[in-house]
Amino acid sequence: MITQNTIQQILNRIDIVDIVGSFVKLKKRGANYLGNCPFHNEKTPSFTVSPSKEIYKCFGCGVSGNAISFVMEHEKYSYVEALRWLAQRYQIEVEETEVSAERKQQLQLADSLYIINGFAKEYFSETLFNSEEGQNVGLSYFEERGFTEETIRKFQLGYCLNTRDAFVKAATAKGYNLEYLQKTGLVTIRNEQPADNYRGRVIFPIHNQSGKVLGFGARILVKSDKAPKYINSPENEIYVKSRVLYGTYFARHAIDKLNECLLVEGYTDVISLHQAGVENVVASSGTSLTQDQLRLIKKYTNNLTIIYDGDAAGIKAALRGLDMAIEEGLNVKLVLLPEKEDPDSYVQRIGAAAFREFIEENKQDFVLFKLQISLKDAGNDSSKKSQLVNEIAETISKIDKAEDFTKQQDYIRQCSQVLKIDEQGLIQLVNKFIRERITKREQQSRNNNHAPDDDLSDEAIAAMEAMAEAESGYTAENLFNKDEKQEKELVKILLRFGDKPFSEESQNTVADYVFHLPYDFESLVDSELVKRILREYKRIYDEGNIPDKKWFLYHEDQDLSKNIALIMEDREADLSLNWKERFEIDTVYGDNAYLKDTISTSNYLILRKIKKMIVENQEEAGRLSDFEEIKRCMELHQHLKQLEKELTQGLGTVIFK
């Protein structure tokens, strides 16, 4: 949506020290800047910002990236949201590409709803603090709940007068559209006249991740058999309840830093805990967790702790939906508060420190907790026990990522012991559910005319890889391409020297040399990451341009951008990492030292390919019986060995094992 011209203006103005320095206190150390990492707790600064390379790197937790990715990670913005934030900071007018009339209308409607909600938030806050009714009714209620003025203002709480149309009159006087006011749920039509929907209620604004108001929760303060205790905004173009967790905007930094999200039920639970200093908390607003809400949590952390104050039956019902959390890869823990306590009352009674201590001491694993409650409910009923075994096996089967293989096996072992059943039998049952899910997914692909990408699904491949890793003792690191660093050297050379002349006699550039090698990079490179980068580079090169490192460093594909930052963060002296030791090559940086590195790197990759061809040719010769075919293989072998010799001499004294 944002034009390339605007993006380029933003890139030209970006100062990573300025951007990071607005969130982190930085001190100059030599050519770089140093500070405490905002992404994890540390006492000794290990967070480094390099203005020359335009990247940041924490040597404590390993996080790294550029100015845009920093804003995205710190503020939990999307790429476009981060660009808009930077454009506003540098006072750059944002140009957008032409959109359809329908899409333009949708965007304008969304903007209008945000503006109306922003006005309503200010109106209700003003009413709470500066009207007699607001102070006597609304403010008194919040004070009775123990909320300080600072907390009330932080969460932008408010009050709606208990009159028919005070708000709607104020809103229409400002020129706000009555139809849009109805869309937000702030106004309703009664007896063919507009009326305030939240009259006589305290107001809880609901924010998105960037702090804009999406909607409201409104609580009645008098007992009524006719009126509901809470009224929430209806779903509209900006507010979809299943995608929102109350308090996310205020909790996002604490969740990120503590690497844990606490989940409670209501608005006041969140506010009380924040006021007490427990800030990594959000609320589901009384609904079962949805997949979108779980993915929102996963943006900040993989660790979810749910705090319940209900009875066992209610908890069991709520647990049914938590299998989705397992599928999302979240580590789910449960905490039961003492009887007749909720998070709001309990934290006010015992204080933040004791509350945190209680949470830590009483966390229970979701799967094992679900098993214990269900087993107690099943009693001696054999059919219920059989159903329980199936439920637990199905839950465990959803832990199907390769890195969670050990966790899955541990659950199988513990659950089989609790259930007193054969461990091998539970393994087979878990595998049955995995196979059924794979078959179902592949069938859906065929029904949608989408052939599966492979004969095996992602889950099956991941499980096989995990089993192979467990049985062989290999680590993930052992499975990585051992030559990937050398492949990344080619990326580094292109990004740093792609536009440099390859020789004084020729007009060709380093990029020209690389993309006119006797073998294309697709056959020279094994790493899919490196191939992705080179394909993007080649696409721009074929259009007649040579991209520099900044184009990739600030690429909208954040995965690509982060990997470029990791590739570029190595010290310049490490450009030919291990080459001197392994291949007896001296890498001395002079004015044209990049030429030697370009030739050495490309020759190394070509030599590696030739060695593979030699092995393949020998294997083919071993399968042949026809003399002429064997002779052809022998001639090819001699040719390849001659190329190997020449390239080895080109690299220097290179000894391959």
Side-chain angles (χ1 to χ4, degrees):
M1 298 285 291
I2 298 177
T3 64
Q4 286 300 317
N5 180 50
T6 299
I7 294 174
Q8 195 57 54
Q9 287 185 59
I10 294 170
L11 296 184
N12 291 341
R13 293 288 303 278
I14 280 177
D15 179 344
I16 191 167
V17 176
D18 171 52
I19 299 301
V20 176
S22 61
F23 299 99
V24 179
K25 188 176 180 180
L26 298 173
K27 290 185 179 179
K28 200 169 191 314
R29 293 287 175 87
N32 297 327
Y33 289 79
L34 193 67
N36 287 327
C37 179
F39 304 114
H40 80 289
N41 290 315
E42 64 176 7
K43 295 180 180 179
T44 304
S46 61
F47 184 81
T48 302
V49 177
S50 169
S52 62
K53 296 179 181 178
E54 298 186 57
I55 60 176
Y56 65 87
K57 167 76 175 180
C58 176
F59 292 93
C61 67
V63 67
S64 64
N66 56 55
I68 294 178
S69 65
F70 179 88
V71 174
M72 291 176 66
E73 182 69 21
H74 194 274
E75 296 300 295
K76 300 305 175 186
Y77 286 168
S78 68
Y79 180 73
V80 173
E81 287 171 337
L83 287 177
R84 292 187 186 280
W85 186 91
L86 290 163
Q88 184 176 12
R89 182 178 183 85
Y90 291 115
Q91 298 181 339
I92 296 170
E93 185 177 350
V94 176
E95 297 176 354
E96 300 192 34
T97 55
E98 196 67 33
V99 295
S100 67
E102 183 181 359
R103 179 58 179 157
K104 195 171 186 179
Q105 188 176 5
Q106 290 174 345
L107 293 171
Q108 289 173 343
L109 173 57
D111 285 342
S112 297
L113 297 182
Y114 277 125
I115 291 168
I116 288 173
N117 284 345
F119 166 77
K121 175 199 71 177
E122 296 296 335
Y123 174 88
F124 293 139
S125 179
E126 177 74 14
T127 301
L128 178 71
F129 284 105
N130 296 322
S131 72
E132 184 176 350
E133 183 183 330
Q135 292 174 354
N136 292 339
V137 182
L139 201 56
S140 294
Y141 168 77
F142 287 134
E143 289 172 348
E144 285 173 10
R145 297 300 301 250
F147 300 162
T148 64
E149 181 176 337
E150 181 183 1
T151 297
I152 294 168
R153 292 191 183 278
K154 173 183 175 180
F155 284 88
Q156 302 167 356
L157 307 181
Y159 178 74
C160 184
L161 294 172
N162 193 20
T163 56
R164 177 182 172 83
D165 55 7
F167 170 76
V168 71
K169 283 182 177 178
T172 52
K174 288 283 186 181
Y176 294 117
N177 184 293
L178 183 59
E179 181 186 350
Y180 291 173
L181 286 167
Q182 289 176 257
K183 260 189 175 296
T184 62
L186 293 161
V187 173
T188 187
I189 302 296
R190 289 193 177 92
N191 300 321
E192 300 183 356
Q193 293 294 319
D196 296 350
N197 201 26
Y198 301 150
R199 60 185 183 274
R201 293 172 179 263
V202 287
I203 308 296
F204 298 84
I206 301 167
H207 303 79
N208 68 8
Q209 295 168 71
S210 60
K212 288 184 178 181
V213 177
L214 297 167
F216 300 90
R219 187 191 193 281
I220 198 168
L221 299 181
V222 294
K223 289 185 178 181
S224 172
D225 295 331
K226 296 181 180 179
K229 184 177 180 180
Y230 276 96
I231 298 177
N232 292 307
S233 295
E235 294 200 350
N236 52 44
E237 281 72 10
I238 63 173
Y239 179 59
V240 181
K241 192 172 185 178
S242 64
R243 298 177 186 170
V244 178
L245 288 167
Y246 179 74
T248 304
Y249 173 66
F250 303 101
R252 65 198 195 284
H253 294 320
I255 294 171
D256 199 25
K257 184 164 280 191
L258 297 172
N259 195 24
E260 180 184 34
C261 177
L262 304 181
L263 180 72
V264 294
E265 186 176 352
Y267 304 135
T268 55
D269 293 328
V270 169
I271 296 169
S272 283
L273 287 170
H274 268 264
Q275 181 171 283
V278 182
E279 296 186 343
N280 59 322
V281 57
V282 298
S284 59
S285 304
T287 62
S288 298
L289 276 174
T290 67
Q291 196 164 47
D292 285 329
Q293 289 171 332
L294 290 166
R295 286 172 180 169
L296 178 59
I297 291 169
K298 194 172 172 64
K299 284 180 66 175
Y300 304 96
T301 181
N302 285 328
N303 300 308
L304 171 62
T305 299
I306 303 174
I307 303 173
Y308 279 116
D309 52 281
D311 57 18
I315 293 166
K316 185 184 175 185
L319 289 178
R320 293 192 191 106
L322 285 180
D323 276 10
M324 288 187 299
I326 295 291
E327 288 182 271
E328 290 299 324
L330 291 168
N331 302 313
V332 185
K333 305 289 184 183
L334 303 175
V335 174
L336 292 181
L337 295 179
E339 192 175 352
K340 296 182 180 179
E341 293 280 12
D342 57 35
D344 176 13
S345 64
Y346 199 49
V347 76
Q348 292 202 40
R349 187 166 69 80
I350 68 173
F355 185 87
R356 283 198 180 280
E357 187 178 339
F358 178 86
I359 297 298
E360 285 302 313
E361 291 177 354
N362 291 273
K363 284 181 186 178
Q364 301 179 62
D365 181 87
F366 155 62
V367 174
L368 298 177
F369 180 78
K370 177 180 179 179
L371 175 59
Q372 294 286 2
I373 282 193
S374 300
L375 193 59
K376 185 177 179 181
D377 181 58
N380 295 320
D381 190 321
S382 57
S383 62
K384 283 186 177 181
K385 283 185 176 180
S386 297
Q387 183 182 348
L388 170 58
V389 171
N390 275 316
E391 286 178 3
I392 290 297
E394 187 173 8
T395 295
I396 296 174
S397 75
K398 292 174 181 176
I399 308 170
D400 55 18
K401 292 181 173 60
E403 60 269 25
D404 291 333
F405 179 75
T406 302
K407 183 200 289 188
Q408 185 192 69
Q409 298 303 299
D410 195 43
Y411 274 135
I412 290 173
R413 179 182 56 79
Q414 293 184 68
C415 289
S416 61
Q417 289 175 355
V418 172
L419 290 165
K420 298 179 181 178
I421 60 175
D422 178 55
E423 184 175 329
Q424 192 59 40
L426 186 55
I427 289 173
Q428 291 176 358
L429 191 56
V430 168
N431 289 337
K432 171 179 168 287
F433 280 108
I434 292 174
R435 286 194 300 274
E436 286 177 355
R437 191 165 64 254
I438 291 169
T439 303
K440 184 178 179 181
R441 196 181 83 169
E442 291 179 342
Q443 185 61 51
Q444 287 173 342
S445 295
R446 292 189 184 93
N447 291 341
N448 294 328
N449 296 320
H450 295 306
D453 294 335
D454 215 321
D455 291 334
L456 293 173
S457 70
D458 294 339
E459 291 97 333
I461 292 170
M464 289 170 63
E465 289 174 345
M467 290 175 68
E469 180 175 321
E471 291 172 0
S472 64
Y474 289 154
T475 64
E477 188 175 355
N478 296 142
L479 301 177
F480 290 157
N481 174 18
K482 64 180 181 179
D483 292 325
E484 188 170 348
K485 274 192 173 292
Q486 273 65 40
E487 295 180 6
K488 288 179 178 177
E489 298 301 333
L490 193 61
V491 171
K492 190 180 293 185
I493 287 168
L494 280 171
L495 294 184
R496 294 181 65 218
F497 308 115
D499 60 345
K500 301 291 185 187
F502 188 73
S503 67
E504 295 179 0
E505 302 80 24
S506 172
Q507 296 294 320
N508 292 336
T509 63
V510 168
D512 293 329
Y513 173 82
V514 170
F515 290 118
H516 288 85
L517 291 169
Y519 302 99
D520 63 45
F521 66 82
E522 293 281 356
S523 64
L524 291 177
V525 171
D526 293 332
S527 166
E528 286 303 318
L529 167 65
V530 174
K531 284 183 181 180
R532 278 176 59 204
I533 297 169
L534 292 178
R535 285 178 194 133
E536 178 72 355
Y537 193 110
K538 181 71 161 49
R539 180 185 66 78
I540 299 168
Y541 169 85
D542 287 342
E543 293 172 354
N545 300 308
I546 296 180
D548 60 11
K549 67 177 181 181
K550 183 173 282 191
W551 172 262
F552 284 92
L553 200 56
Y554 293 103
H555 200 280
E556 64 178 329
D557 183 339
Q558 290 303 297
D559 181 55
L560 206 64
S561 172
K562 285 183 179 180
N563 279 290
I564 288 292
L566 290 171
I567 291 171
M568 297 303 296
E569 77 180 5
D570 290 348
R571 292 172 301 173
E572 292 184 358
D574 289 338
L575 186 63
S576 300
L577 188 67
N578 293 330
W579 280 19
K580 183 174 181 180
E581 294 176 5
R582 291 181 59 192
F583 308 135
E584 300 178 16
I585 297 174
D586 291 323
T587 303
V588 181
Y589 282 83
D591 293 338
N592 297 315
Y594 63 85
L595 298 178
K596 180 177 180 180
D597 288 289
T598 304
I599 296 169
S600 297
T601 302
S602 57
N603 282 0
Y604 177 88
L605 295 175
I606 292 171
L607 181 57
R608 188 180 62 171
K609 178 175 177 59
I610 288 172
K611 290 181 70 65
K612 289 179 182 177
M613 292 172 67
I614 290 172
V615 172
E616 291 168 359
N617 185 58
Q618 288 173 333
E619 290 174 349
E620 183 182 1
R623 295 191 297 267
L624 296 173
S625 57
D626 181 81
F627 175 78
E628 290 299 322
E629 290 294 320
I630 294 173
K631 182 181 177 183
R632 178 186 59 79
C633 286
M634 291 175 65
E635 290 172 351
L636 178 59
H637 179 78
Q638 291 175 351
H639 174 67
L640 291 173
K641 292 299 287 185
Q642 180 61 31
L643 287 176
E644 180 184 35
K645 181 179 178 182
E646 292 171 4
L647 283 167
T648 301
Q649 291 171 347
L651 277 173
T653 309
V654 182
I655 301 172
F656 284 87
K657 296 180 181 178

